[in-house]
Every structure is written in C-alpha cells, then in structure tokens.
Amino acid sequence: MKKESTKKKMDRSIFLPISIVVIFCILGTVVFLVSSKISAKMSASAIQNLSESLDLIECTIEAIMNREAEFQQSMAHEIAMAQDPEAYVRTYRNNQTIVKVSLICAGKTEGVSNAGNLFSEDELDFSNGGSVGGMPVSKSYINYMGTWAYTIKCPVVREGEEIAFLYVEYTYDSLDRSLPDGFYNKKAMLYIMDAESERFVLKPKGMGERNAGHLNMEDFFRANDIHEPEIWTQVSENVKNKRNIMFYHDIRGKSSLIYIWSVNDGTLFLIGYVPVDAIQQEGNTVNQNIFIVVTAMLIAFFLCCLLYYFTQRQQIKIRKEQEEEREIHNKQLREALQAAQIASNSKTMFLSNMSHDIRTPMNAVIGFTTLLAKDAENPQKVREYTKKIMASGQHLLSLINDILDVSKIESGKVVLTIEEFTLNDLVSSVDAIIRPMANARSQKFYVEVTGIRHEYLMGDETRINQILINLLSNAVKYTPEGGNIWFRIIGMKQHSPQYEHIRIEVQDDGYGMTQEYLKVIFDAFTRAENSTTNKVQGTGLGMAITKNIVKLMGGTIDVSSEVNKGTLFRVELELRIPEEQAIKRLWEENGISRILAIDSNEVICENICMLMNDTGVVTDVVSSADNAIQILNNKTETNDYQILLIDWDIVEKEGIQKIKEIREILPETALILFLADCNTAGMEETLLIKNTKVLTKPFFVSALQEKILESKTEQSIASSAIADADNLKGLHFLVAEDNDINAEILEEILSMEEADCEIVENGKLAVERFEAAEEKEFDAILMDVQMPVMNGYDATRKIRALSRKDAMEIPIIAMTANAFAEDEKDALDAGMNVHLAKPINIEMLKKVIHQYVYKDK
C-alpha cells in the first residue's frame, strides 16, 4: 500500500511540471505565430504606406519643377519676341518663386540680371547632368540671401536660332509652400537632399519632431546613431545609382523606417524616417491580439500556480514559506546595509570635501582669537584682530550659504548685491585670511596694487572676496612649504570713464597642473589627482563657483600652468565708479593739504601719487630720509606737511635715528605713518615715537583715511558720546528663543547695550506673555522661527490677530538661521517687520531697532 501511495505521489509530482511545460509551450507557440503574422503584416503595410506617401511628395516636387520649367520656357519665348531682351530681363520683377533672372546673349560669356549686376555662367555648375523638362539644372548652392537654390538654363530661340540663354534662379523654400503641412501627424522627419553634394537643402515646415535640423546625410546618420558600415555602404551605392532604399532602425528608442527616395531622376533625394507606430494600419488589431495573448498567459499562469498550490504537501508549503520569508528578510537586511553604507560614504565624502573650504576662514577666526587673548591689553591690536575676525566670520557665513545654495549658483539664480566698497577693505579682509595660512607653511605672500585710479568702486564685495579666497587658498594649498604666492591688483586701460578696469592676478610657484586637467578645472567636483595633491582636501566646487560668479559679473577668468613650475590665474572685471564720494570732505575737515611720501621704490611712489590725484591733496615723494630732512629743514615748507608716509624699508636701511630727527622737525600734530607688511616685526621702538602709526601695505587712500580718523578719535573723547547715542539703553524686549546658548548670547549682547529682555521657549509662550503684558511694556519682540509647540510664523500671526491696539504696532523682528530669500518673504508674509539672519550682527540689530522702535519716540 505504501509503495502504491508513493508511486501515485510520484506520478502526481511528475504530471504537474509536465502539464505546466505543455501549457506554456502551447501558449508560446500561439504567441510566436501571432507575433510573426502581425510583424509581417505590419512591415508590409508600413512600407506600402510610406512608399505611397513618398511617391505623392515626389510627384508634387517634380510637378512644381516642371511647372517652373514650363513657365521659364514661356518667359524665354517672351524674351525672344522682345526688341531688347536685356532690357526685358533688367526690368523683370521677382516673385515668390523666382529669385533671380539672368540672360547671356549667344557668343558672350557674360550677361545681365534683374539684380543689376553682371552675370556669368562660371558662377554655376551644370556638370551633374540633371534636367527638368529637358533643360539643364545646376548643382544646388547657397545664394546671396543665404538660402539653398538652383538654376534652370533655358535657350532663347528666335526664328529657329538660339540668340541667348535664360538663367532663372529658384529657391528650395518655394517648394515648401506647395508641400503638405505635416507628415504623419508631424511625427516623421523629412529633408530634401542635393544628390551631388549630399547636403540637405530644405526641411519643409512641420516636418519632424526636432527643432534643429541636420546639415548632410552623414550628419543625419550620426545624429540618429546609424553607425553600421554595411548600411552606409548600401546607402552610398543606392544614392550613386539613383535608386530608392528603405530600412528599419531604432532612432531615439523608437523603431523607425528610414527612407532615401529619388526625385527628378536622382538629382534630389527625400531623406528622413517615420516611427513605425505612426504608420501602422493594424494598430487596433495588434493591441487586441496582444491583450488576448497576455490575458491567456496570465490565466494559464494563475491556473498553474493554483494547481501547484493544491497539489503540494502541507509540509513543503510551510518550509517554502519559511524560506521565502527568510530570503525576504535577508534581502531587506542587505538593502538596508547597502543604503546605510551609501549614506555613510556620501556623508564622509561630503564632510571631507567641505573640510578645507570651511577650515580656511575658521583658521583665521581661531588664530586671531588666540592673538586677541594674548594682546587683550593693547586696544589697537584688539580692534585690528576683531576687525579681521569679523571679516573671516562673514566669509565663513557666506561660504556656508554657498555650499547650501550651490545649485542656485550653477543655475544662474544668484543675484549680485551691488554696493559701494573700497579696494582697501577688500585686500585687508583677504590678507587677514590668507597670510596666516601662508605663514603656517613658511610661504612668502606678496600683495601688490598698481595702476589703480579709483579705489572706491561699485560691486558685490562679498562675491569678489569669495573669488579671491578661492584662488588664494588654492595657491597656498598647492604650493609647497617655503614657496611664493603673489596677489596683484592691476589697473588696466579703461574702456569707459565710468568704469574701472582691473585685472586680478594670483600666481604661485607650486606644483602646477597638467594641460589635461586645465580643460576641466572649472567643472564641479573636479580636482587635480597626483601623489602630492591627493593629500589636499577639497570639495571640487571652488573653481566652478568662481567661474560662475566671474561670468555673472560680466568678467573673464583664465588660467595658465606648468607642472612643478606654478600656476597663474587672471580675472578681469569692470567695476562702476561711484558718481559721488562724500569721504573726500575728510581732507578739508581735518586740514590736510600736503603729504610727503618717503620711499625708494618708484613704482610705489607712482601708485601713491595716482591714488591721491583725485583727493585735492598735494603729494610729494622723496627717495630717502636725508632728502626728506633737507626738504623739511627748508623753513618755507616745514609746516606744509600734515602727514608723512615712510616705507619701513627706509627705516631699516637708514636707522631709527633719522626718524627721530624728522619727528623733531615736524610739528607735534603732524602724523607719521610707516608703510609696512602685515607681519613686520621689530617696530616696537619706532612706534614709541610720538604720533606714529602703522599703515599696512599696499597703500590705499581709504586706509589712510581710516588712520586719520583713528588718530583723531584717540585724541578726542567725543567718540563716547557717539557710542551712547547708538546704544539700546532702557529698552525692554520679549525674546522667543528655544536654544539656551543662543538665548544666553542674545541676553548678554543686549545687556552690553544697557537693554534687558524676557526670554520664552516657544511661540505659544510668546503669544501668552504678550497678551498678558501691559500696553507698551515691551519695545519690540525678537522672534526665532523654528521652535517647538508653535513656530515663529504662527506666533506672529496670533499676535497680529489680537484685539489689543499695540498688537499691530509692536515691531516683530525675525532672527533665524533660515537665511534665504524665500525665508525672508515668509517672515514678511507672516506679519514680521524685518528679517535678520543668524549669526546676529549687533550693528545691524541696533540699526533695525533704531529704525522700527525709535521712529515713534
């Protein structure tokens, strides 16, 4: 019994797969037969339909050309009857079909045309043997209007004698007006090709899915990925023998029927393609048959699965389900692991790429913070370090914005902020970041400014600063220790008196780049790869962003480099010169009319005189301290100089004693400024001389003005009154901020300005506290945006909706890390007065508070 049962089970297990195989074989056979039949039917139908359509177009074109030939013969007859054939031709007016009419009398090589110029048959080529109505047709050519044309030559016969030849020029565009508008519902492509040159002379209107056309047959084949040599050979033979040809090929993922169709005995060819689905006549039948086949296969598959399910033993079913469940679980684990690895790799790559760009300004912030702690007792250095820390911090903030918004930069959506700035501030902020980096690698950093006529300019200072930081930081990184880096700003010849034309050069003698890499240096995420530069971290975005910004400013950037010799970047910009510079009044207000510069470098002296030229201040230059003493000892000029500029090289060369002697000759009010590099050492004793200061190279008028104001400020206590006028003393603020550190910083800043605040943790508490407060208890509300329970936008709307009188009047200032333009729009739409991006700039905060809080007081 057991053997019989086992045998039956074996028979069942064998019967099931055999049944499935038989069913699928039958279905496969049916599908194959149906598909073969449909394919053959569709292919024949497609070729027949297309042939008929092309024959119709061919007949249309030949009819047009024959009609043109008949009209030309009629015209030749009229010319033969005219008393003056040449006069007839000269006065003939063109129409939509005829472009040019010319006549050459028998026995002459030149004739006349209705265009008014001489005409020679040498301009045309009738060697291809083509004809229309028995008259020769020239090769196709581009006429004076820039369109493809052809000319038909017709004899002029009078009384059985050829007295002249009539040449009429026709454009292929005239054929376009007589051809059908569209071809297979404008899904097909159609060109008319000149057989001799194989150039495309016309793409009729509405013919083709693409806007751009092709130039010739080779271009057409390559653009449509028809690369098979045997096809090219067959096509060439058929064109040469003036025969028609059709073949199937995939074009942009669609099965298409390509045709090359002879017109006018092979002088012209129709070339193009039609997607097969556009000319199928049996589409509904095909879809119906496919649906029937697919439905039958699905039903058969379902029946087989159902049969398989009920014929298997329960134990096998359970084991299979367990295996499937285990496999699904393993697959999910593999996918999760792979996703986690991809995310980890992406994060690591991103952080690695961001590292060097963020560390560049951060290095300056940390370095000058260290120096600030060391020189806390020196007010002059504290101010200098604080200024440089602020500049580096601002650059770091702009860099973060660029990283978050790099897609906007590449898509051209970045808008420049055009404001007045000075080259001095620009160079100083760049120097503050780059020089510490260069010093850390024992590199020499040279800054040169020459030929500049105006240092007050209009432009986006932040973007220009970003360009310079990108170029100079790369120069530092890709130059070995002990190398040299040059940063030059050169005044070029002005193209317009309203614009200063400057060239920025960043040069180094570092590793250099290969010519291959120079071709892709401005592409995103590209970096030079070799054993040396691989150690340098970078995002690969710097050069791409730099080029986009330069292009946005209307400038140019180029680079030249040689391996192991260095690299030179050149950026050329044209920046508008401000129409008014009110700062010029500073010279008159401070009684400065004459300056003496002492420098042995003629280029620097020339640059100083050029920059001071528009100030109205007389600038004299001498090459040594002895010459200066000789001039100052002249009693008629001793008191004329209010400022002396002395290059530090003069001090080192001629000694400090000469400076002391100059100080004794000058009045005590005269200011002595030493022109020196940023990190020049050994100046302590010299700066003990009364009324002396350091002016950092290179020389700028704005930097000189800052030193003058700084000197005046130190001599007057009026600055304290100004500071008091700008503080926030006595103001009371309601602050909504959920971050404890940010709240503590803001509270401390307001305390320094003699103001106080009340801090709540979210927008809901801010609404409740304001609602419970007395009228005018708070002068303004400082509102964060992203907070728990209730965000800043909703809180602002709630406050503005209150029935209190001051609910619509109290200034609400958004302070948030959301720094994009759309965030500012959202803040204003919610009812806030103004939007300030974090980190908070205290001067900007004070300005906004004065604008909105004090306007009613």
Side-chain angles (χ1 to χ4, degrees):
M1 293 293 293
K2 290 183 178 180
K3 290 183 178 180
E4 291 180 0
S5 177
T6 302
K7 185 177 181 181
K8 288 180 180 181
K9 291 179 180 179
M10 292 178 61
D11 291 340
R12 291 175 184 176
S13 62
I14 293 173
F15 175 75
L16 180 60
I18 292 176
S19 301
I20 294 175
V21 170
V22 170
I23 291 173
F24 275 97
C25 286
I26 295 173
L27 287 175
T29 302
V30 172
V31 170
F32 176 76
L33 294 175
V34 172
S35 299
S36 299
K37 183 178 180 181
I38 292 173
S39 297
K41 202 172 179 183
M42 288 173 57
S43 179
S45 176
I47 294 175
Q48 180 181 354
N49 289 343
L50 182 57
S51 298
E52 292 175 355
S53 299
L54 292 175
D55 285 337
L56 178 61
I57 295 176
E58 175 190 355
C59 292
T60 301
I61 294 174
E62 290 178 349
I64 293 171
M65 297 180 74
N66 287 326
R67 185 180 62 194
E68 291 172 348
E70 291 173 0
F71 181 78
Q72 186 170 342
Q73 288 175 340
S74 175
M75 186 188 304
H77 180 70
E78 291 182 10
I79 293 174
M81 300 297 294
Q83 293 182 356
D84 188 351
E86 292 186 350
Y88 180 92
V89 170
R90 289 193 188 96
T91 58
Y92 189 84
R93 298 180 61 126
N94 297 336
N95 54 36
Q96 292 183 342
T97 303
I98 297 177
V99 176
K100 182 179 179 182
V101 178
S102 305
L103 183 73
I104 299 178
C105 294
K108 296 183 180 181
T109 58
E110 292 185 345
V112 298
S113 69
N114 65 343
N117 57 341
L118 292 177
F119 174 78
S120 173
E121 186 178 328
D122 294 339
E123 301 173 4
L124 304 172
D125 185 356
F126 291 93
S127 63
N128 62 344
S131 64
V132 176
M135 295 185 293
V137 180
S138 71
K139 291 183 179 179
S140 301
Y141 57 91
I142 298 178
N143 63 9
Y144 72 98
M145 296 187 299
T147 184
W148 282 97
Y150 61 93
T151 297
I152 298 178
K153 179 180 177 181
C154 176
V156 179
V157 181
R158 178 188 292 171
E159 298 179 354
E161 180 183 357
E162 292 183 354
I163 64 170
F165 287 95
L166 176 65
Y167 301 83
V168 179
E169 180 180 293
Y170 305 91
T171 62
Y172 285 100
D173 289 342
S174 63
L175 299 178
D176 192 13
R177 290 186 288 270
S178 301
L179 293 178
D181 185 9
F183 191 33
Y184 285 102
N185 294 325
K186 298 185 180 180
K187 292 183 179 180
M189 177 71 74
L190 173 65
Y191 289 98
I192 297 178
M193 183 186 77
D194 178 64
E196 182 69 19
S197 62
E198 295 188 356
R199 296 292 299 271
F200 289 174
V201 297
L202 178 65
K203 177 185 177 183
K205 59 181 181 296
M207 298 295 184
E209 299 176 317
R210 300 176 52 184
N211 292 329
H214 303 290
L215 299 177
N216 52 38
M217 185 167 64
E218 181 178 351
D219 178 31
F220 173 80
F221 278 17
R222 293 187 185 280
N224 293 295
D225 294 328
I226 304 175
H227 303 295
E228 293 81 353
E230 58 273 13
I231 294 179
W232 285 50
T233 302
Q234 186 179 2
V235 168
S236 298
E237 291 178 356
N238 280 271
V239 170
K240 182 177 180 181
N241 296 323
K242 303 178 180 181
R243 293 198 304 265
N244 301 332
I245 182 174
M246 288 187 183
F247 59 91
Y248 288 98
H249 202 280
D250 285 345
I251 296 180
R252 292 194 294 279
K254 294 182 179 180
S255 178
S256 302
L257 188 57
I258 294 90
Y259 58 84
I260 303 174
W261 206 259
S262 173
V263 178
N264 195 33
D265 295 328
T267 58
L268 299 176
F269 275 89
L270 302 176
I271 292 185
Y273 64 86
V274 184
V276 173
D277 57 6
I279 53 176
Q280 289 179 356
Q281 296 181 342
E282 305 295 335
N284 293 333
T285 303
V286 171
N287 293 333
Q288 184 177 2
N289 290 339
I290 292 176
F291 177 77
I292 293 174
V293 171
V294 171
T295 303
M297 292 184 66
L298 290 175
I299 294 174
F301 180 76
F302 175 76
L303 292 175
C304 291
C305 290
L306 191 64
L307 181 62
Y308 179 80
Y309 176 79
F310 284 109
T311 56
Q312 295 301 306
R313 293 177 301 175
Q314 190 67 22
Q315 184 177 1
I316 297 176
K317 173 187 173 183
I318 295 174
R319 184 167 62 249
K320 182 179 179 181
E321 289 177 350
Q322 291 176 344
E323 290 176 355
E324 290 178 350
E325 184 178 353
R326 188 182 304 110
E327 181 62 27
I328 292 174
H329 182 65
N330 291 339
K331 182 179 179 181
Q332 292 174 343
L333 289 177
R334 288 194 301 270
E335 292 176 351
L337 178 61
Q338 184 179 6
Q341 289 174 342
I342 293 174
S344 178
N345 293 337
S346 300
K347 182 183 71 173
T348 302
M349 180 65 70
F350 176 79
L351 294 176
S352 176
N353 288 342
M354 293 300 105
S355 176
H356 85 289
D357 280 345
I358 294 179
R359 287 176 184 270
T360 299
M362 201 64 194
N363 178 63
V365 172
I366 295 174
F368 282 113
T369 304
T370 304
L371 295 177
L372 186 64
K374 179 181 178 182
D375 296 324
E377 305 301 326
N378 189 331
Q380 181 177 352
K381 289 191 175 182
V382 168
R383 283 193 295 271
E384 181 181 352
Y385 295 157
T386 304
K387 181 179 179 181
K388 293 177 179 179
I389 290 173
M390 179 63 69
S392 300
Q394 291 296 335
H395 172 66
L396 179 60
L397 181 61
S398 66
L399 178 61
I400 293 173
N401 287 336
D402 284 341
I403 294 172
L404 296 176
D405 205 24
V406 66
S407 62
K408 291 186 178 180
I409 294 179
E410 292 181 343
S411 62
K413 296 181 180 179
V414 172
V415 179
L416 297 178
T417 303
I418 306 300
E419 297 177 342
E420 183 174 334
F421 71 97
T422 68
L423 288 178
N424 172 54
D425 291 339
L426 181 68
V427 173
S428 298
S429 62
V430 171
D431 188 276
I433 294 175
I434 299 302
R435 191 170 295 277
M437 296 171 56
N439 291 340
R441 294 171 61 84
S442 301
Q443 296 167 342
K444 293 183 179 180
F445 181 46
Y446 303 96
V447 180
E448 301 173 8
V449 179
T450 57
I452 297 298
R453 299 169 181 81
H454 305 86
E455 61 175 280
Y456 287 89
L457 300 171
M458 299 293 294
D460 193 329
E461 183 180 5
T462 300
R463 295 299 181 185
I464 299 175
N465 184 287
Q466 185 177 359
I467 293 171
L468 298 178
I469 294 299
N470 281 343
L471 296 178
L472 287 168
S473 62
N474 280 345
V476 171
K477 288 182 293 185
Y478 293 104
T479 300
E481 293 189 3
N484 299 282
I485 298 168
W486 293 268
F487 169 35
R488 308 184 189 98
I489 297 182
I490 305 170
M492 307 295 289
K493 181 179 179 181
Q494 291 177 268
H495 298 142
S496 169
Q498 285 79 33
Y499 288 85
E500 182 79 11
H501 183 190
I502 66 172
R503 173 185 290 171
I504 299 170
E505 292 186 353
V506 174
Q507 185 176 4
D508 63 68
D509 56 1
Y511 306 124
M513 293 174 284
T514 63
Q515 296 303 310
E516 291 76 12
Y517 178 66
L518 288 179
K519 297 177 182 178
V520 297
I521 186 174
F522 295 114
D523 295 342
F525 298 104
T526 57
R527 298 178 62 241
E529 300 291 339
N530 58 56
S531 59
T532 303
T533 60
N534 280 346
K535 300 178 182 179
V536 180
Q537 294 293 324
T539 62
L541 291 173
M543 289 298 99
I545 293 175
T546 297
K547 183 173 183 180
N548 282 328
I549 296 174
V550 171
K551 185 177 180 181
L552 191 62
M553 291 181 176
T556 61
I557 181 172
D558 59 76
V559 56
S560 59
S561 183
E562 191 171 345
V563 177
N564 296 326
K565 290 189 177 181
T567 302
L568 172 61
F569 282 92
R570 286 192 180 95
V571 177
E572 292 200 15
L573 299 172
E574 291 197 25
L575 302 174
R576 188 161 60 86
I577 302 168
E579 295 181 1
E580 297 182 2
Q581 298 183 2
I583 196 67
K584 292 180 180 180
R585 295 194 301 269
L586 176 141
W587 309 108
E588 298 178 0
E589 294 173 355
N590 290 277
I592 299 172
S593 60
R594 187 178 290 271
I595 292 176
L596 178 62
I598 308 172
D599 199 317
S600 59
N601 190 319
E602 294 182 0
V603 176
I604 295 179
C605 291
E606 182 181 349
N607 190 55
I608 292 174
C609 292
M610 184 181 297
L611 289 173
M612 294 295 297
N613 184 51
D614 294 335
T615 63
V617 178
V618 178
T619 305
D620 298 327
V621 295
V622 293
S623 59
S624 66
D626 290 332
N627 292 340
I629 293 172
Q630 183 178 355
I631 292 176
L632 293 174
N633 279 328
N634 186 342
K635 298 301 182 182
T636 60
E637 297 185 6
T638 299
N639 297 325
D640 285 345
Y641 296 110
Q642 293 83 34
I643 296 177
L644 259 69
L645 302 174
I646 305 176
D647 189 89
W648 184 249
D649 293 339
I650 296 292
V651 181
E652 292 183 334
K653 182 178 180 181
E654 301 188 31
I656 191 174
Q657 189 59 39
K658 296 287 185 180
I659 308 304
K660 292 180 178 179
E661 187 175 345
I662 291 174
R663 177 76 276 175
E664 292 175 358
I665 300 174
L666 286 172
E668 293 184 358
T669 57
L671 179 62
I672 298 178
L673 297 175
F674 297 107
L675 288 169
D677 291 326
C678 183
N679 291 337
T680 301
M683 304 182 66
E684 293 79 5
E685 182 181 356
T686 309
L687 292 177
L688 293 177
I689 300 174
K690 188 175 182 180
N691 206 8
T692 58
K693 289 185 176 296
V694 177
L695 186 62
T696 304
K697 290 182 179 180
F699 173 81
F700 284 107
V701 177
S702 57
L704 175 59
Q705 291 170 340
E706 289 180 6
K707 287 298 178 182
I708 294 172
L709 293 175
E710 182 182 319
S711 177
K712 296 297 181 182
T713 302
E714 291 177 354
Q715 299 172 10
S716 174
I717 62 173
S719 59
S720 60
I722 296 174
D724 291 339
D726 287 337
N727 67 14
L728 309 177
K729 184 176 181 179
L731 297 182
H732 186 52
F733 299 98
L734 175 60
V735 178
E737 174 61 69
D738 64 316
N739 187 288
D740 293 338
I741 295 178
N742 291 343
E744 182 179 351
I745 293 174
L746 182 58
E747 186 175 16
E748 187 63 27
I749 290 176
L750 294 175
S751 177
M752 290 168 57
E753 297 297 326
E754 301 184 58
D756 62 352
C757 64
E758 183 174 336
I759 300 174
V760 294
E761 298 176 354
N762 56 62
K764 182 180 179 182
L765 294 177
V767 176
E768 294 174 352
R769 180 64 184 90
F770 178 78
E771 190 173 10
E774 297 180 2
E775 189 172 336
K776 303 296 183 181
E777 179 178 347
F778 296 109
D779 294 290
I781 300 176
L782 307 181
M783 184 76 73
D784 189 16
V785 171
Q786 292 186 354
M787 294 181 293
V789 184
M790 182 183 291
N791 62 47
Y793 298 143
D794 293 338
T796 300
R797 294 187 183 95
K798 292 280 188 183
I799 291 174
R800 296 302 190 200
L802 295 175
S803 59
R804 297 169 48 130
K805 177 183 177 182
D806 58 347
M808 294 299 296
E809 299 175 354
I810 186 169
I812 301 180
I813 301 171
M815 297 194 307
T816 172
N818 300 339
F820 297 123
E822 53 266 28
D823 301 314
E824 182 174 358
K825 181 179 181 300
D826 292 340
L828 298 179
D829 292 343
M832 298 181 181
N833 296 86
V834 69
H835 176 280
L836 293 179
K838 293 180 181 178
I840 295 300
N841 184 315
I842 183 59
E843 296 302 325
M844 183 62 68
L845 178 61
K846 288 165 61 177
K847 180 179 178 181
V848 168
I849 290 175
H850 276 270
Q851 179 180 355
Y852 289 96
V853 176
Y854 284 135
K855 65 180 179 180
D856 297 329
K857 294 189 179 184

